[in-house]
Amino acid sequence: MAPPPRASIAPVAAIALTLLSAACSWPDYTPVRDWAGTASTTVDYPVVAVVCAPAEVSWAPEDPRRLGLRAMQEALTTYLRALTILADDGALPYRENPFAYHLVPRAATVSEAGSHAVAALGALLREATIRNAQAPQLADMIKAADSDVQTLVAALAAVLPPDEADAPHRTATAEAYAALVRATHDPAAQQAVRDVAALRDREFAAREASRALYARALLQVGEGHALLNERASRLPQEETARQVRATRDQLMRLAAFLPRTPGGLPDAAPCPPPPPAPPPSTEPASRQRRPHAR
């Protein structure tokens, strides 16, 4: 059988080359996916949301400040993870508003604006799921969400206690340890108490640092999402990818300094405890004072 003429091969080859070229130039949303993944992990940091007080008060499950802050964190984290799914051309699983029944009312206890933003983001996720949104709709999702994301970031930052909110309890704990040192006559025991006092003070410092760094990280998350919104129509472009990667690197460097404690994250442990009662005297009985006989 004679080979087919070259004229019939050329169109087939041209079509194959066109398809190959299209496959090679498929939009790449990897930088957006990576930024959103880093941002979601950062937002989900269990930052200390309460001021120091007795453990049974500070860490009660029904504490409104802690519940409200965690509700807003969970909503923002879920939205950011949804961006990673869309950037991978995956399908979202939210057939109903994922925040309506528990996160929205909890957020409302600490921030009305934050509660409205949580509700709006939940409705957006539901709509995107029903429309079967995928990577090509990523830009639309970002543009629709940016205003609520910025509102939620601001609400989270406003709910955080001041950096030095634990200062009175920190001072009282230090004074209690100092009194314990004065009540202890054994030099080795005194040094042991001083070492424990220094450890407690470092724990207080870690709580303060976690608040300050987390507030800065939230600001960077908001700025990163604003960048995505600004360049939403140019997400696959190399210049946008470069800026998004740089923004992610900056966020990763800051998040690396969020303090961890040996027992877990700061929100998983109670406030640093006060010292125990002074131990009984260790002086020999012969050296202890005895009442004078009359």
Side-chain angles (χ1 to χ4, degrees), residues 19-30 86-89 134-136 236:
L19 293 175
L20 180 60
S21 176
C24 292
S25 61
W26 190 265
D28 182 14
Y29 297 101
T30 302
L86 287 183
D88 265 342
D89 208 28
Q134 292 178 313

Side-chain angles (χ1 to χ4, degrees), residues 37-280:
T38 299
S40 68
T41 302
T42 302
V43 169
D44 199 40
Y45 179 77
V47 67
V48 176
V50 293
V51 178
C52 267
E56 63 273 11
V57 176
S58 289
W59 304 99
E62 63 273 10
D63 181 78
R65 178 189 290 271
R66 183 167 181 257
L67 284 178
L69 188 146
R70 288 298 295 164
M72 292 190 289
Q73 283 181 311
E74 184 177 339
L76 184 53
T77 297
T78 302
Y79 163 75
L80 291 169
R81 287 174 181 164
L83 291 187
T84 68
I85 295 173
L86 287 183
D88 265 342
D89 208 28
L92 298 179
Y94 310 108
R95 303 298 301 180
E96 298 296 336
N97 187 325
F99 309 148
Y101 298 108
H102 61 293
L103 297 188
V104 171
R106 289 179 185 176
T109 62
V110 292
S111 173
E112 183 178 354
S115 175
H116 291 324
V118 169
L121 288 177
L124 182 63
L125 292 180
R126 177 180 182 272
E127 180 185 356
T129 301
I130 292 175
R131 290 190 294 106
N132 195 29
Q134 292 178 313
Q137 287 76 50
L138 187 61
D140 294 337
M141 180 112 164
I142 290 171
K143 288 189 289 186
D146 186 64
S147 176
D148 294 309
V149 168
Q150 303 305 329
T151 298
L152 194 50
V153 165
L156 276 167
V159 170
L160 292 176
D163 295 349
E164 298 183 357
D166 294 331
H169 193 72
R170 183 178 185 178
T171 300
T173 300
E175 291 174 350
Y177 276 103
L180 184 56
V181 169
R182 292 192 296 270
T184 304
H185 303 289
D186 180 26
Q190 289 179 336
Q191 186 57 50
V193 172
R194 292 190 185 98
D195 291 342
V196 174
L199 176 62
R200 296 289 178 260
D201 195 66
R202 287 196 296 271
E203 291 175 359
F204 276 109
R207 291 169 60 87
E208 293 180 5
S210 70
R211 292 178 181 136
L213 286 174
Y214 185 72
R216 289 172 55 192
L218 283 176
L219 179 62
Q220 288 194 12
V221 169
E223 292 173 349
H225 197 275
L227 172 65
L228 296 182
N229 181 55
E230 178 186 348
R231 302 188 65 87
S233 61
R234 293 164 285 175
L235 291 179
Q237 294 182 0
E238 180 56 34
E239 176 60 21
T240 300
R242 185 191 64 78
Q243 293 184 27
V244 173
R245 284 194 294 264
T247 301
R248 179 189 180 234
D249 290 345
Q250 183 181 19
L251 181 59
M252 289 179 67
R253 287 194 296 272
L254 177 60
F257 288 97
L258 284 171
R260 266 69 175 173
T261 61
L265 297 174
D267 201 35
C271 300

